[in-house]
Amino acid sequence: MRILVAGDSWTHGWNVDHSWWHYLDETDITSVAMSGDSNSIISQEVRNICRKEPYDLIIVGWTSMLRIQDSRGDPAVWWAENINEDGSKELDDFYRNNSLDYFQNKMYEHIQQVESLHTKV
């Protein structure tokens, strides 16, 4: 069985000897998890790799729906350490100007994009 694992630092295994998925009995596991990934990036990475290679199962460790920053340099989102005083106000305004429904809907979109693939999730 071929398994694709995606997610943020919890899935990547940040600051641990082995991430949880290393304990799965399967030997053919590919991980695209990276510390700092937003749900947008997680969804994008899963879809990109599934276009190239078939998998029998996808396991996704989603991050917080409020995380709009990521570590891969997507210009549409911010990474916390790159936010200066002006950027912090921009991020603050973004949260103030968007409802919880907005974030829930974005999360649902990401989940749907992954679940629409022809692979068990």
Side-chain angles (χ1 to χ4, degrees):
M1 174 182 267
R2 295 193 73 215
I3 299 174
L4 175 64
V5 175
D8 65 358
S9 57
W10 290 97
T11 306
H12 174 69
W14 181 77
N15 209 26
V16 295
D17 291 334
H18 295 288
S19 58
W20 58 263
W21 53 267
H22 280 100
Y23 297 100
L24 297 175
D25 289 336
E26 300 300 323
T27 57
D28 195 1
I29 299 174
T30 301
S31 175
V32 293
M34 183 178 280
S35 296
D37 273 357
S38 65
N39 289 317
S40 175
I41 294 297
I42 293 167
S43 172
Q44 179 182 317
E45 288 296 310
V46 168
R47 288 179 286 130
N48 285 345
I49 198 162
C50 284
R51 284 186 197 114
K52 297 174 190 171
E53 301 178 43
Y55 288 89
D56 301 305
L57 177 65
I58 300 169
I59 301 173
V60 180
W62 297 105
T63 192
S64 166
M65 68 181 175
L66 298 177
R67 176 182 262 174
I68 59 168
Q69 71 275 7
D70 72 70
S71 59
R72 298 193 192 207
D74 185 335
V77 294
W78 301 277
W79 179 237
E81 67 188 28
N82 296 331
I83 296 174
N84 57 25
E85 200 169 293
D86 295 334
S88 185
K89 179 175 179 351
E90 185 179 348
L91 183 58
D92 207 33
D93 289 346
F94 183 82
Y95 283 118
R96 289 179 198 276
N97 295 328
N98 290 285
S99 68
L100 186 55
D101 284 342
Y102 167 83
F103 292 102
Q104 288 175 320
N105 289 335
K106 293 303 279 183
M107 181 74 197
Y108 185 66
E109 285 175 27
H110 300 309
I111 292 169
Q112 281 186 313
Q113 288 170 347
V114 170
E115 289 182 346
S116 70
L117 298 170
H118 299 290
T119 305
K120 184 177 179 180
V121 180

